[in-house]
Every structure is written in C-alpha cells, then in structure tokens.
Amino acid sequence: MASLVQCCTDPFYSFISLCSSERAKAAVRSFLPILTWLPSYPVKQYLFQDVVSGLSTGVVQLPQGLAYAMLAAVPPVYGLYSSFYPVLLYTFFGTSRHISIGTFAVISLMIGGVAVREAPDSMFNTLHVNGSNTTDLDVVARDAKRVQVAVVLTTLVGIIQFVLGLLRFGFVAIYLTEPLVRGFTTAAAVHVVVSQLKYLLGVKTQRFSGPLSAIYSVKAVLSDITSTNITTLLLGLSCLIFLYVIKVLNERFKKKLPIPIPGEIIVVIVSTGVSYGLSLSGVHKVDVVGNIPTGLLPPAVPDFSLLPTLVTDAFAVAIVGFSMGISLAKIFALKHGYSVDGNQELIALGLCNFISSFFQTFAITCSMSRSLVQESTGGKTQIAGLLASMVVLLVVVAIGFVFEPLPQTALAAIIMVNLLGMFKQFRDIPALWRTSKIELTIWMTAFIASVLLGLDYGLLVAITFTILTVVYRTQSPKSAVLGHVPGTGLYYDVDEYEEATECEGIKIFHSNSSIYFANSDLYVNSLKEKTGVNPEHIQAFRKAHKKRMANSSQSSPLKKRVEHGVTHELLSYNHVEEKQKNGQLGDRHGESDSEETIFIEPVSSVRFIILDWTAANFIDSVGAKAIKQVIKEYAAVDVQVVIAGCNSNLLAELDTLQFFTGVVTPEMLFPTVHDAVLHCQHSHPGPPAAPVT
C-alpha cells in the first residue's frame, strides 16, 4: 500500500498523468474546435456583427434552400431542412469562421441527377384503361422515392468524408486542381441553367440524367416551346432582370452599403404575394412550390438497401463537396489571418452530412455567394452561421405555409442569377492560353466532358486526364547540358546562358524530373543525345577501326618493332586517317621517319559524365536498373559516370534498391555539381585542364 501511495505521489507519475490529460484535452479541442474559441468569445466586439451577418445570411439561405431543392429533385421543404441541421452542426465541428454551410447548386444538381436516375418518372406512370388509355404520374410516390435516394446518398457521402478525415486524407483535394474545378463548375452551371429552362418557360418536360442529358433536356424544351406559359415566362424574366440589377448594384456599391440588398428574399416575398393575390396557380396555371409541411420531421433510418448502387456517386459528391469547402475556407483564412485544418474540415462535413441525413436532408457544402454575404456583412465566427440556421428554423416550424404560392419560375430566376459568377470563369480561357496550354487543356477537358457525359462521369474523366498530364510532364522532362559560369560555383544550361562554358573532357547532364518506369528510357536516350557520347556508337567505331586495321595490314607495308616486350604497329603517315567530330578525335602519336604509332583509344574526348540529380525526388527499381546499365555501358568505353546533388531520401532509396554494387560504388556520389567537377578535373588522365575556381 505504501508503495502504491509513493507511486501516485511520484513526480514522474504526476508528469505522465499531466501529459496524458493534456493530450486528451487537445484531442477533444481538435474534434470540437468550438471549445477553442467560444470560451474566449469577445461578446462586446463580435456579437453585434455576428447577429447582423447571421440575419443577412439567413435571409439569403432561405430562398436558396427552396431553390436548390428543385435541383436535387426533391420537394422544396427538404432544402429548408438541409439549410438548418448541417449549419447547426458545423458550428461545433468546423474550423472556418466565415464559410456558410448549406445547399449548393453543383452538389444539389449532382444529387438530383442520381435521384432521377434511380427514380425516373417512367417508374411511377399509372395506366388508366378508360377508353383513351391515359397515363398519370404518381408525383407523391416519385418524390418519396427520390427523397429516399437523396437521403441514402447523403448518408454514404457523410461516411466517406468522415472516414477520409480520420485517415488524414485531407490532401485528396490537391488532385482537383484549380483549372479542373473551375472547368467542372462552369459545366455544372451549364447543366443547372439547362435544368431550369423548363421552369422559366413553364413547359412540362421530363428530367434527364446521365451522358448527353444536357442535350436531351435542351431538345425536349425546344420541341415543346410552343406550349410556353406566357405568364410564367414574364414573371420569370421580371425576376431575372430585377435580381441581375440588384447583383450589379451590390457589387458596385459594396463598400458603401452596410449590408447587401437582399434581392432574393425580396423576389420571394413579392412573387409569393403576386401569386397569391392573382391566383396565378389556379387561373394562369403557373407552377408553384406547393405544400410545405410545418415543423421538423422525426429522425428516421435511411434505406441502406440502396447503398450498393450509389457508392461511385457518393465518392464524387464527397470529393467535390470537400474541395469546394476547403478552397473557400482557405481563402477566408488567409484573408483574416487564421488557419483551417483540412482533415478536420473533412470530419466536420462528414458529420454534418451523416447526422443530418437521419433528419431527411441532402448533401451540403459551402456556398460561395452566401459565404461572401456572411463575410462582407462583418461575420466574425460561426455564431453568424448558427443564427442563419435559426432564421431557417423559424420558417420551417412557424411560417413555412406562407411560401406555398411561391412560383417555381421565381426560384429558377434565383438559381440562374446566382450562377453568373461561375459563367465568368469562361474568362479563364484566354488567360490560360497565354500562360499554360496544359492547364487550358485540363480546363477544357473538365468542361466538355462534364457537359456531355454528366457531372459524375465528367469529373472522373477530368481527374484521369489531370493525372495523365502529370505523367506526361514527368515522362517528358526538360534536359540540358550544363556549363560553368567563370568565377562562381554555378552551372547553367549552355544553350540558354552565353557565359556558361563546358569543362574540357566533362559533360554535365541535368534533367528536371525524377527517374522511374515511365521515363527511364527517355532519360537514358536524352543523356546519350545531349552529351553526344553514345557507347554503342563508340563500340561500333572501334570494331570498324579494328577491321580496317586488319585489312590494311594485308595491303599496306607494315613495320614492327619490339620495345620492352610490346609490339607496336607502325603505319606510313599517308595511311593514317583522322576523324574529329563533336568532340570525337582519333589521337595521333608522331614517330620519326614519317611514321607514327597507332593506338586504339576511345573515340570520344569526353572522359567524365556528371549526372545532376538535384531535381530528382525519387527513383524506382526500373529507373535504378536503367541508370546502372548505362553506367556499365560508359565504363566499357572508358567514360566514368558520377552523380551529383543526390538528396538523403533518394540516397536511401538507392541503398534499398541495392544500387551500389558492381561497377557502381558510393564513391561516385558528390554533394554538389561543383564538387563532382573538381574531382573529375583532378582525376583527368590527359593533360590537365584549366581548373574551375
């Protein structure tokens, strides 16, 4: 007992307990970032600004929730649910202080495409045999099934994001490069506008999904354009023009306006009042939102039997949603001087989607337009987002029925105007043409593939193409022969820098890529071409020279003399051929009486080749074998290869690959190119060259 008391009072034991306690607290704070800032929340400085920002964002979030539910192919009230639960949860788990979580056009459209694919209208057509064989669409059953699909998809998206966050896979967003994301979102904007044409015109067409769905949708609308509802069209165009003017005014006078003019909520209120007062639904057949149930739905377990068919779609939605969120979060964090954790953002989005899906929501991410409102109106923390969700909650539990007469064409106008920022991304094309043709190709591939094949397949094609461009860049690296800049220890491309001069008898080969299976052959070929020293050609020349010697010994007078047991063949000077090209020289050794001694020596004047590996990050077994083989080939023709600038990680890989065996030894490695040059000059078997200083 005494020993136990002593152990508990031991300072080391107390230190270990303290460390464990601190680690536990740090883990809790990491999982719940709200605990790091809420206890020290400066009420007097931040609260008023957060309240103003929250109310402003909530006013924007309300009509967007109703509108984006149409894109997700579910009844509008589910857009309100998706604008409440996830926003509430993100307040506790998110690390960004400014982004506005909730419905977003691109994600909503991707969900809608899956919902329509799994629950098309044709599944719910009821045939009535009453003499005219008419079919009726069971809208209630169709919407219930689509909600089911959207909810299960959201559950799976949440699981994927949460697991990726736990596995520290926040880096996956790097594979969605900016040109890819901008091309993809521009294509998504095209899909969204096409999907809203029928609501703007008031025509009845089915919703298409999958490859060429945009073309089929446009064709269906144009073929039925003669049945356009004029009242719907006029109301929609009026809303479009009004919202566009408000957007321009907000942009032009954003520094003078305390808060942006809430054009969307004005359109919702006015169009709802006009629709109700003039009975547009009954008299003019204008499509309206319809029934909005009051109150929140009880939690329910999703139908997990649908999961197997939704895995691929869930990955696409999860990655795109996270990419949108983290990119915008980093922009605001950089602007306001704080940091966001990509892995925690994955966990936060995963929890928001997973938990909320049990309350009948569809997948969410951050919205650029709402985030700009939340930040520009002075929002300091996610208290603003919490208040925005309370505005939506008020509508859901108390006054949702007020928006039942809201025309769908007004929501279509809201969606279209919110996409103006995405269509401005077409300006990327001339800019990328001037700066990077490869990035322009990525942008165009993402755009065209997503427009023609749909957002899911388009994203897959775009990511695959982006990876192929990386392979292309590393497979076809830029290589050069380096020369020394007099008076320095610097070495630059002799073709680009006039002051750089090659060292006598030494070729320095530089490539700006790592060496692996995809480019090892190209590396070796480029090495032989750039240096002008090809072991195969030298060997062939030697064989041809020996053959000429053998033939000439039979037809030309030869003299032989023996010195110290060594026989030398002496040819007449007139029979000696000289060849000098690109540093290749047949050496002559003068002798008296117009005779000279012929020695079979290497054709090339190059005695050393230095491989500059300062730009190489890794090497695989194929690359190591290729380099080892070329070193052996050069050694066979008396050309020594050394390696410079090999970093510690690359050195460890070479050691693991057992690179340093046979003719390849660790003594061939040098820390810098300059060290390698000095070594080669010191080891030069010929006349000493001018030393590099």
Side-chain angles (χ1 to χ4, degrees):
M1 183 69 180
S3 61
L4 179 62
V5 172
Q6 182 180 1
C7 178
C8 293
T9 56
D10 186 71
F12 179 75
Y13 177 81
S14 300
F15 175 74
I16 295 297
S17 301
L18 179 62
C19 291
S20 300
S21 175
E22 288 299 321
R23 290 183 63 182
K25 289 179 181 178
V28 172
R29 291 193 189 100
S30 176
F31 188 70
L32 287 169
I34 191 174
L35 298 178
T36 62
W37 58 266
L38 188 61
S40 58
Y41 181 80
V43 177
K44 293 183 179 180
Q45 299 178 30
Y46 284 2
L47 184 59
F48 178 75
Q49 291 174 303
D50 277 343
V51 169
V52 173
S53 176
L55 294 177
S56 302
T57 307
V59 166
V60 177
Q61 195 152 17
L62 175 62
Q64 287 190 0
L66 294 169
Y68 293 154
M70 294 169 55
L71 293 177
V74 297
V77 69
Y78 292 92
L80 297 181
Y81 299 154
S82 302
S83 300
F84 169 64
Y85 290 108
V87 183
L88 181 65
L89 291 168
Y90 186 81
T91 304
F92 296 91
F93 298 106
T95 60
S96 174
R97 304 174 191 172
H98 295 92
I99 64 173
S100 175
I101 291 295
T103 56
F104 182 57
V106 175
I107 300 297
S108 300
L109 186 66
M110 295 178 73
I111 295 170
V114 178
V116 172
R117 185 192 70 207
E118 298 295 324
D121 291 344
S122 58
M123 287 180 58
F124 305 94
N125 285 330
T126 304
L127 179 64
H128 296 281
V129 183
N130 53 4
S132 58
N133 288 347
T134 59
T135 57
D136 289 335
L137 178 63
D138 189 348
V139 177
V140 175
R142 182 202 65 184
D143 288 349
K145 181 65 175 178
R146 289 180 177 178
V147 168
Q148 209 173 38
V149 172
V151 168
V152 175
L153 179 63
T154 302
T155 305
L156 190 53
V157 168
I159 293 173
I160 291 171
Q161 290 176 330
F162 182 74
V163 171
L164 290 178
L166 290 180
L167 296 177
R168 320 304 289 175
F169 265 53
F171 67 87
V172 295
I174 65 176
Y175 292 102
L176 295 178
T177 65
E178 185 178 3
L180 185 151
V181 171
R182 292 175 73 85
F184 175 79
T185 52
T186 306
V190 172
H191 278 282
V192 171
V193 169
V194 168
S195 71
Q196 297 307 296
L197 287 177
K198 64 178 183 178
Y199 298 110
L200 187 68
L201 299 174
V203 298
K204 307 291 184 182
T205 62
Q206 71 176 100
R207 181 165 175 168
F208 298 90
S209 63
L212 303 180
S213 59
I215 296 176
Y216 293 144
S217 297
V218 172
K219 181 180 177 181
V221 170
L222 293 178
S223 63
D224 202 27
I225 199 169
T226 54
S227 61
T228 298
N229 187 311
I230 300 302
T231 305
T232 299
L233 178 60
L234 291 176
L235 180 60
L237 290 177
S238 300
C239 294
L240 268 175
I241 295 171
F242 176 79
L243 287 170
Y244 178 76
V245 172
I246 294 298
K247 196 174 188 68
V248 170
L249 291 175
N250 283 335
E251 183 66 25
R252 181 169 297 181
F253 301 104
K254 60 182 178 181
K255 294 183 179 180
K256 298 181 179 180
L257 294 171
I259 60 173
I261 302 172
E264 294 171 337
I265 197 65
I266 293 173
V267 164
V268 168
I269 294 173
V270 172
S271 60
T272 301
V274 171
S275 176
Y276 178 77
L278 300 179
S279 300
L280 295 182
S281 177
V283 177
H284 299 283
K285 307 300 179 183
V286 174
D287 292 328
V288 296
V289 168
N291 181 44
I292 298 181
T294 301
L296 299 172
L297 296 176
V301 178
D303 183 6
F304 290 109
S305 64
L306 298 171
L307 282 181
T309 61
L310 304 178
V311 174
T312 304
D313 304 292
F315 267 102
V317 174
I319 297 302
V320 173
F322 170 65
S323 177
M324 298 290 182
I326 193 64
S327 58
L328 205 57
K330 286 183 176 180
I331 290 173
F332 286 123
L334 183 63
K335 181 178 179 180
H336 293 277
Y338 63 94
S339 61
V340 292
D341 184 350
N343 294 308
Q344 180 59 29
E345 285 297 298
L346 260 176
I347 292 174
L349 286 175
L351 290 173
C352 289
N353 282 315
F354 178 75
I355 297 174
S356 300
S357 67
F358 288 85
F359 296 91
Q360 310 294 296
T361 66
F362 55 85
I364 52 82
T365 185
C366 80
S367 165
M368 182 178 297
S369 59
R370 289 197 311 272
S371 298
L372 289 173
V373 170
Q374 183 167 318
E375 188 259 353
S376 62
T377 52
K380 300 296 184 182
T381 66
Q382 281 300 330
I383 294 295
L386 180 64
L387 292 174
S389 69
M390 294 298 109
V391 174
V392 177
L393 177 63
L394 175 64
V395 173
V396 172
V397 300
I399 58 174
F401 65 91
V402 172
F403 298 101
E404 291 180 357
L406 174 61
Q408 292 184 0
T409 186
L411 295 178
I414 291 173
I415 292 172
M416 290 181 176
V417 173
N418 276 316
L419 295 173
L420 287 177
M422 291 187 183
F423 282 113
K424 290 180 180 178
Q425 293 175 155
F426 278 114
R427 299 173 182 172
D428 294 347
I429 295 177
L432 291 175
W433 175 263
R434 293 189 298 268
T435 57
S436 175
K437 301 295 191 300
I438 291 181
E439 290 189 343
L440 173 62
T441 308
I442 293 173
W443 196 103
M444 294 299 298
T445 300
F447 175 77
I448 295 173
S450 300
V451 168
L452 296 180
L453 303 179
L455 298 181
D456 45 2
Y457 292 117
L459 179 64
L460 180 61
V461 170
I463 293 177
T464 303
F465 181 79
T466 302
I467 294 174
L468 289 177
T469 62
V470 176
V471 174
Y472 169 76
R473 290 182 179 186
T474 57
Q475 189 179 9
S476 303
K478 181 181 179 182
S479 56
V481 170
L482 305 185
H484 178 247
V485 179
T488 71
L490 304 178
Y491 294 82
Y492 291 108
D493 186 352
V494 294
D495 293 332
E496 294 185 4
Y497 296 89
E498 295 181 357
E499 295 184 2
T501 57
E502 294 187 51
C503 303
E504 183 180 354
I506 303 172
K507 290 286 186 179
I508 307 170
F509 179 75
H510 170 83
S511 178
N512 62 353
S513 173
S514 300
I515 307 167
Y516 65 112
F517 67 93
N519 70 353
S520 58
D521 288 341
L522 294 173
Y523 182 92
V524 171
N525 293 336
S526 180
L527 168 63
K528 295 175 181 178
E529 179 184 351
K530 286 285 185 179
T531 59
V533 183
N534 191 320
E536 296 175 357
H537 294 170
I538 296 176
Q539 292 280 24
F541 183 86
R542 285 185 172 184
K543 290 180 180 179
H545 186 71
K546 286 181 179 179
K547 189 174 182 180
R548 286 199 306 270
M549 291 284 292
N551 294 335
S552 62
S553 65
Q554 300 175 2
S555 58
S556 302
L558 288 176
K559 298 179 183 179
K560 290 188 178 180
R561 58 189 177 92
V562 179
E563 295 180 2
H564 305 290
V566 179
T567 301
H568 295 267
E569 293 182 347
L570 303 179
L571 296 180
S572 171
Y573 182 81
N574 296 329
H575 291 86
V576 176
E577 297 181 355
E578 296 183 30
K579 182 172 183 179
Q580 182 175 0
K581 182 179 180 182
N582 292 332
Q584 297 178 353
L585 175 65
D587 290 338
R588 297 181 301 166
H589 299 266
E591 288 289 334
S592 59
D593 301 324
S594 300
E595 296 173 343
E596 63 179 358
T597 305
I598 303 299
F599 296 95
I600 300 176
E601 296 183 354
V603 177
S604 174
S605 63
V606 176
R607 296 293 183 269
F608 295 94
I609 292 179
I610 300 172
L611 302 182
D612 179 12
W613 281 7
T614 54
N617 295 318
F618 69 93
I619 188 171
D620 67 357
S621 60
V622 177
K625 289 178 182 178
I627 297 300
K628 195 167 184 178
Q629 179 61 31
V630 81
I631 291 175
K632 291 180 180 178
E633 292 176 4
Y634 278 120
V637 294
D638 302 322
V639 177
Q640 183 181 349
V641 178
V642 297
I643 300 170
C646 184
N647 62 58
S648 58
N649 293 331
L650 189 59
L651 184 60
E653 290 180 0
L654 291 173
D655 191 47
T656 303
L657 294 169
Q658 298 181 348
F659 182 73
F660 301 106
T661 57
V663 298
V664 183
T665 62
E667 287 73 22
M668 300 170 61
L669 296 177
F670 295 90
T672 67
V673 173
H674 193 60
D675 291 324
V677 170
L678 294 177
H679 167 80
C680 294
Q681 290 179 335
H682 181 73
S683 306
H684 203 294
V692 173
T693 58

